[in-house]
Amino acid sequence: MTELLLLRIGVPRGTTAETVWDELRRQPALQRVVGARLYQPTRGFFEPTEWIFCGDLDAPLAPFALPSDRLPIRKLDLYPFRGEINPYGVDLLGSSMPMQLVTITVVEPMIERFEAWYAEHADVLCRAPGATGARRYWQEGVPRRYASLYYYESEDGVERYFASETRARAAESRLVFDPWLVDQHHAYYRDVTPAR
C-alpha cells in the first residue's frame, strides 16, 4: 500500500524554490517519493514560510536530515492511500496544478457518521467549478486522521471554486461535525517545483 509523505518545511523568506528542491532531492530517502512536488501556500490557514513537499511512498521511509539552520522540519506525516476521485480523468499525482491540502482529525463518537458524509462531500467538491479531482488518504485508529489533496485546473480555477455556491454549501454541511473535529488545517498552494 502506498502512503502520502507530507513534509512541512520552514522556508526563510527570500529562499528560492530551486534551493529547497535541491536540498530535498539530495536526501536519498526522499528520492524514492513518487510524484514528488514542492508547494508554497497562497490562501487559507497557513504560515507563508511553511512550504510542503509531498508525494507517494511505497516503502518505509529511511532516516534523513535537512539543515535545520536553513530548512527546519515543522512536521512529517505519513497517510495511507484511500482512493482517488477523478471525474475528468486527469493525472493528479505529480501534477503541477494548484491544490488545496486538508488535514483533519475526527474523534469519537462521530467517526462513522463523518466517514459516510466525507465520501459524498469530497465527490461533490471535485465536481465544483474550477476543480479537477482529489486524492484522499487516512490513518486508521481512534481518533482518525485524514489528509485530502484537492486539485484545481488553474489559479483562476481556484478563484472560481472558492466563490462557488457548491463550496459554500459543502462548508456549511460540515458544521454539524465541528465539535468532533480537531487539528484542522487547510490551505491552498501553488506548485513551485523547479523544472527538471
Side-chain angles (χ1 to χ4, degrees):
M1 172 183 284
T2 62
E3 295 180 300
L4 172 69
L5 169 71
L6 184 57
L7 178 62
R8 302 181 195 271
I9 311 158
V11 179
R13 294 178 191 276
T15 307
T16 66
E18 287 78 11
T19 299
V20 178
W21 183 254
D22 289 349
E23 185 61 53
L24 291 166
R25 298 311 282 176
R26 268 197 290 272
Q27 304 289 329
L30 299 181
Q31 292 172 11
R32 302 188 61 189
V33 179
V34 177
R37 305 301 293 184
L38 181 63
Y39 294 94
Q40 185 179 42
T42 58
R43 171 203 296 261
F45 300 132
F46 66 89
E47 291 292 335
T49 56
E50 183 176 283
W51 296 13
I52 59 171
F53 172 82
C54 65
D56 279 4
L57 196 63
D58 61 3
L61 180 65
F64 68 95
L66 299 183
S68 59
D69 58 329
R70 297 194 316 274
L71 298 173
I73 294 176
R74 295 194 174 164
K75 193 173 185 185
L76 187 152
D77 280 308
L78 292 170
Y79 291 86
F81 182 62
R82 176 73 181 278
E84 184 170 278
I85 301 172
N86 198 340
Y88 307 106
V90 298
D91 290 330
L92 300 176
L93 180 64
S95 78
S96 61
M97 293 181 287
M99 65 99 172
Q100 178 188 187
L101 168 66
V102 178
T103 56
I104 200 165
T105 300
V106 186
V107 299
E108 292 280 33
M110 279 293 173
I111 292 174
E112 296 307 318
R113 279 187 58 196
F114 180 85
E115 185 70 28
W117 170 84
Y118 196 43
E120 182 178 336
H121 168 82
D123 186 66
V124 167
L125 291 183
C126 288
R127 299 169 194 279
T132 59
R135 291 177 63 84
R136 299 181 59 216
Y137 303 81
W138 72 334
Q139 294 176 338
E140 287 277 12
V142 178
R144 184 163 298 162
R145 301 174 69 193
Y146 297 85
S148 296
L149 281 61
Y150 293 93
Y151 292 87
Y152 304 93
E153 58 195 29
S154 63
E155 291 295 337
D156 286 342
V158 172
E159 295 302 322
R160 287 191 289 115
Y161 166 81
F162 199 75
S164 72
E165 183 65 26
T166 302
R167 187 203 64 83
R169 282 198 314 269
E172 187 174 319
S173 72
R174 194 207 70 215
L175 295 178
V176 66
F177 297 103
D178 269 3
W180 294 273
L181 306 181
V182 298
D183 193 24
Q184 298 183 63
H185 177 98
H186 72 89
Y188 295 83
Y189 294 85
R190 68 184 180 97
D191 184 282
V192 293
T193 309
R196 294 180 178 85

